[in-house]
Amino acid sequence: MNDTKQDRVLIFDTTLRDGEQSPGATMTHAEKLEIASLLDEMGVDIIEAGFPIASEGDFAAVSEIAKNSANAVICGLARAQLPDIDRCWEAIKHARQPRIHTFIGTSPLHRAIPNLDKDQMAERIHDTVTHARNLCDNVQWSPMDATRTELDYLYRVVEIAIKAGATTINIPDTVGYTAPRESADLIRKLLENVPGADEIVFATHCHNDLGMATANSLAAVEAGARQIECTINGLGERAGNTALEEVVMALKVRNDIMPFETGVDTTKIMNISRRVAAVSGFAVQFNKAIVGKNAFAHESGIHQDGMLKNAETFEIMRPEDIGLTETNIVMGKHSGRAALRSKLENLGFELGDNQLKDVFVRFKELADRKKEIYEDDLIALMRTSTDPENERVKLTSMTVVCGTEGPQKADMGLEVDGTQQKTTQTGDGPVDAAFNCIKALVPHNARLQLYQVHAVTEGTDAQATVSVRLEEEGRIVTGQSADTDTVVASVRAYIHALNRLLVRREKGGTDKREVSYKDAG
Ligand code: KIV
Ligand code: ZN
C-alpha cells in the first residue's frame, strides 16, 4: 500500500476546492494563500488547492500555492478531459510534491450526462488516467457518485484506473447517501475484489447530507481506507463535507478503538477554524463538534461542580488540545504598544511596525469604549484590519435614530475618492437605513448576499463582528468589521466589501467559473 504505514491515515484537505466551490463561500486570492499556508503548517498531508481549469483565478491560486507550500502534497482537480489535465499540471507542476486528481461520474445518472456507455467511459478513464500519469507520478482518480455506481462496474473502472497508473483511488459519496456499515463494506469489497487494490491508497470522500460524513469516513478507514478527504468546519456544498477537525480529533481521542494516527497538529485547529469561518462568511454553529463556541462550555451547575473537582468528569478532550486557550481579560486602556505586540505574538500574529501602529490606534479606540479587552477581541481586531491603499470610500460620520416607530433614519458622511459627501436616508431598521445611505452616496447594483452578526465575547459592551458579502455581475466580495456598536460594525463591513468591489471592478474579470466539477464528462 504505497509508502503509507498501515496505521497512518493521510489527511487530504479540500477546503479550497470542494469547500470554496460551495455557493457563497468564495475566497479571495490572498485568503486562499493564507488558508493554504495554515493547512501546510498544521500538518495536512495533501492540500487540494483548487480546480485550475475552472477560471483564471483558480489557476493563479493553485499555481501560487504550489510554489509556496513547504510540506504538503499540492493537488489540483481535473475533469476526465485532456485539456483539463494539462491545465491542472501547468498549475501544480512547481510544487515540491504535485498530485493530479482526475474524476468522472460513474453512476448511471452521471454516465448519462456525457452520454457515454459503460465501455466508452471505461476507455475515457484509461486514456485520461494514463495521460495524467505521463505528466505526474502522483495521480488520484475518483469515480464520482461511487456509492450509487453498480458494484461490478465500480470494480471494473477502479481496476482500469489502477492499471493506468493511479496511485490513489478516491471513493466519493457525492450526494451524502451512504451509511457507515455500507461505507466500510464498499472499501472492504474493493480491497478484496479489485486486482492491484493493495498497491494503492484508498481514500474516502463523504458529504454530510444525512449527517453521517464523519461516521462514514471513519468506517471506511476501519475497513482499509488510508486517506480521508475533508474540509475545515465541514465547509462544502449543501450540508458540507466531512469536517477535518471531527475525524482528526475522533482518531486522537478514541485511539483505543481506532488505532490510527494523522500528521495533524491539533493545537492549530481552532485558529484555522476561525479563519475559514471569517474568510468564507460561513459561521460555525455554536454547538458544532470540536470548534463550536459551546463545544467546551460547561454552563450547567452540575457540570461546573464536576468540572471543578475533576475536568475528566465531563471533558473527553482538553480545550488546549485544539488550541483553545482560556479567554482571560488580557489588556486594558493602559496597556502599551510592547504589551500589545507581545500578546498578539502569543496569539500567532507577527506584525511589522506599520501594522502594529495601525492596530494599536484601533486597540486604544476600543479600550476607550470597552473596559476589558479579551483575546477574542484582539483576534477580531486583527481579522478586520483594513487595507488603506484600497480604501476609496471611508466613513466619516454617522448618526442613527432608532425607536419603536419606523421608519428609522440615518445621517451619514462618507469620503468618496477624497470628496466629502453627506446624505440622510430612512430604512426598515437602523442597519437598512445606514446601508441605504451608502447606496445613495456610492451608487452600485451589488446584491447583498450575506449579512451576519456575531457577538465576540459576553456582555452588553461586547464587540459585534459583522460579515457582509456583495455580488455584482459575478464578482463576489466579502467585508468584515468589529465594533461595540452593531450598526457601526455593519456599515464598516459593508464599506470594506464595497472598497474591495471597486478594486475588483477596475481589474475586470469575475469569480464566475467557466466550468464546474458538476459538468464532469
Ligand atoms: O463529491 C465528489 O464527488 C467530488 C469529486 C469531484 C471528487 O467532490
Ligand atoms: Zn465532493
Side-chain angles (χ1 to χ4, degrees):
M1 192 181 281
N2 271 6
D3 56 356
T4 311
K5 282 193 257 138
Q6 272 298 325
D7 58 355
R8 174 74 195 273
V9 172
L10 299 172
I11 296 296
F12 175 108
D13 182 278
T14 183
T15 307
L16 295 171
R17 199 280 296 169
D18 223 354
E20 205 261 348
Q21 279 198 203
S22 80
T26 315
M27 298 174 198
T28 65
H29 184 78
E31 288 163 348
K32 288 182 195 171
L33 298 194
E34 185 198 341
I35 300 299
S37 132
L38 293 175
L39 289 167
D40 201 24
E41 269 170 43
M42 87 188 288
V44 156
D45 298 282
I46 304 112
I47 299 173
E48 187 163 51
F51 187 12
I53 194 104
S55 69
E56 290 298 327
D58 276 59
F59 181 86
V62 178
S63 319
E64 209 159 330
I65 292 169
K67 285 176 195 151
N68 293 338
S69 293
N71 309 306
V73 171
I74 302 301
C75 177
L77 184 72
R79 294 171 302 177
Q81 294 176 16
L82 303 192
D84 268 47
I85 294 171
D86 291 340
R87 188 82 176 137
C88 176
W89 175 240
E90 277 306 306
I92 59 164
K93 68 180 180 195
H94 299 293
R96 275 184 343 110
Q97 304 177 74
R99 174 182 291 187
I100 296 175
H101 176 192
T102 181
F103 73 102
I104 193 160
T106 50
S107 65
L109 283 168
H110 282 269
R111 287 201 301 270
I113 299 172
N115 198 16
L116 297 177
D117 67 24
K118 284 183 173 173
D119 292 337
Q120 288 165 325
M121 180 164 284
E123 195 181 327
R124 173 86 76 89
I125 293 164
H126 171 267
D127 293 350
T128 48
V129 175
T130 305
H131 184 69
R133 188 57 206 262
N134 284 337
L135 295 170
C136 181
D137 61 12
N138 190 339
V139 172
Q140 170 165 329
W141 180 73
S142 296
M144 185 164 73
D145 207 14
T147 54
R148 293 191 300 170
T149 300
E150 306 91 321
L151 199 53
D152 58 342
Y153 190 58
L154 194 61
Y155 292 159
R156 178 176 166 200
V157 287
V158 167
E159 184 182 347
I160 288 172
I162 294 174
K163 286 205 173 119
T167 44
T168 300
I169 300 288
N170 175 39
I171 301 299
D173 182 30
T174 306
V175 290
Y177 179 71
T178 200
R181 198 174 342 123
E182 203 177 43
S183 170
D185 279 352
L186 186 54
I187 296 292
R188 206 170 289 119
K189 285 179 181 157
L190 285 162
L191 278 165
E192 281 166 7
N193 293 298
V194 177
D198 55 344
E199 296 298 317
I200 54 95
V201 173
F202 273 103
T204 173
H205 175 113
C206 300
H207 282 264
N208 204 28
D209 299 65
L210 293 171
M212 293 192 280
T214 295
N216 289 337
S217 303
L218 295 172
V221 166
E222 290 193 88
R226 287 294 176 270
Q227 175 177 301
I228 299 181
E229 307 212 349
C230 46
T231 59
I232 301 292
N233 299 339
L235 188 69
E237 236 174 309
R238 309 184 310 275
N241 289 58
T242 302
L244 178 146
E245 62 279 7
E246 292 179 15
V247 284
V248 167
M249 287 311 289
L251 291 176
K252 185 177 168 108
V253 174
R254 295 312 314 274
N255 202 258
D256 54 332
I257 54 162
M258 294 180 284
F260 306 101
E261 62 179 43
T262 72
V264 172
D265 174 356
T266 63
T267 65
K268 308 250 193 248
I269 285 179
M270 208 53 226
N271 183 39
I272 192 164
S273 160
R274 286 185 175 133
R275 201 58 199 128
V276 167
V279 301
S280 65
F282 277 67
V284 173
Q285 81 192 49
F286 276 25
N287 57 344
K288 161 89 179 60
I290 319 294
V291 290
K293 206 173 165 69
N294 287 358
F296 289 91
H298 297 275
E299 298 269 9
S300 89
I302 301 171
H303 282 211
Q304 276 180 9
D305 187 44
M307 286 290 294
L308 289 174
K309 289 184 182 126
N310 178 356
E312 283 178 23
T313 326
F314 287 101
E315 223 174 55
I316 56 164
M317 52 198 154
R318 296 168 311 156
E320 48 279 28
D321 293 342
I322 59 154
L324 192 63
T325 47
E326 241 180 85
T327 48
N328 293 322
I329 299 166
V330 288
M331 310 200 76
K333 204 175 165 141
H334 301 294
S335 308
R337 199 180 291 208
L340 178 66
R341 174 179 291 217
S342 140
K343 189 70 219 173
L344 287 172
E345 275 173 8
N346 284 344
L347 290 171
F349 299 102
E350 304 284 338
L351 300 190
D353 287 344
N354 283 344
Q355 217 186 344
L356 180 67
K357 216 162 115 192
D358 164 59
V359 175
F360 189 64
V361 171
R362 294 193 299 121
F363 163 73
K364 282 287 176 188
E365 281 166 12
L366 179 63
D368 276 340
R369 282 175 290 133
K370 192 171 186 293
K371 214 165 64 213
E372 295 156 339
I373 308 279
Y374 295 80
E375 284 182 352
D376 283 350
D377 287 315
L378 293 182
I379 293 170
L381 205 69
M382 289 306 300
R383 297 301 188 217
T384 56
S385 314
T386 48
D387 180 0
E389 273 176 33
N390 291 331
E391 269 187 64
R392 286 179 51 191
V393 183
K394 290 182 189 145
L395 178 67
T396 51
S397 65
M398 182 173 69
T399 313
V400 180
V401 182
C402 298
T404 49
E405 301 296 314
Q408 280 67 26
K409 195 175 87 171
D411 292 319
M412 186 178 289
L414 292 183
E415 188 188 304
V416 184
D417 291 328
T419 310
Q420 288 296 336
Q421 304 196 13
K422 278 192 178 301
T423 187
T424 300
Q425 302 289 326
T426 55
D428 194 3
V431 173
D432 192 44
F435 284 5
N436 285 341
C437 290
I438 304 174
K439 284 180 213 152
L441 295 177
V442 189
H444 56 277
N445 294 324
R447 199 169 64 82
L448 182 65
Q449 274 195 340
L450 174 97
Y451 168 64
Q452 206 165 253
V453 184
H454 284 285
V456 175
T457 55
E458 314 295 311
T460 49
D461 70 345
Q463 288 196 88
T465 50
V466 178
S467 300
V468 162
R469 191 187 306 126
L470 300 176
E471 187 271 334
E472 187 191 76
E473 291 172 14
R475 293 179 198 102
I476 298 174
V477 287
T478 53
Q480 275 120 25
S481 188
D483 200 281
T484 49
D485 183 321
T486 309
V487 185
V488 171
S490 304
V491 166
R492 290 221 166 100
Y494 196 111
I495 291 175
H496 186 204
L498 188 58
N499 276 315
R500 286 178 152 184
L501 186 66
L502 298 177
V503 173
R504 295 288 306 280
R505 259 194 212 162
E506 273 167 26
K507 281 194 190 155
T510 73
D511 298 307
K512 271 197 193 127
R513 289 176 159 117
E514 283 129 42
V515 295
S516 147
Y517 76 89
K518 289 183 183 148
D519 311 323

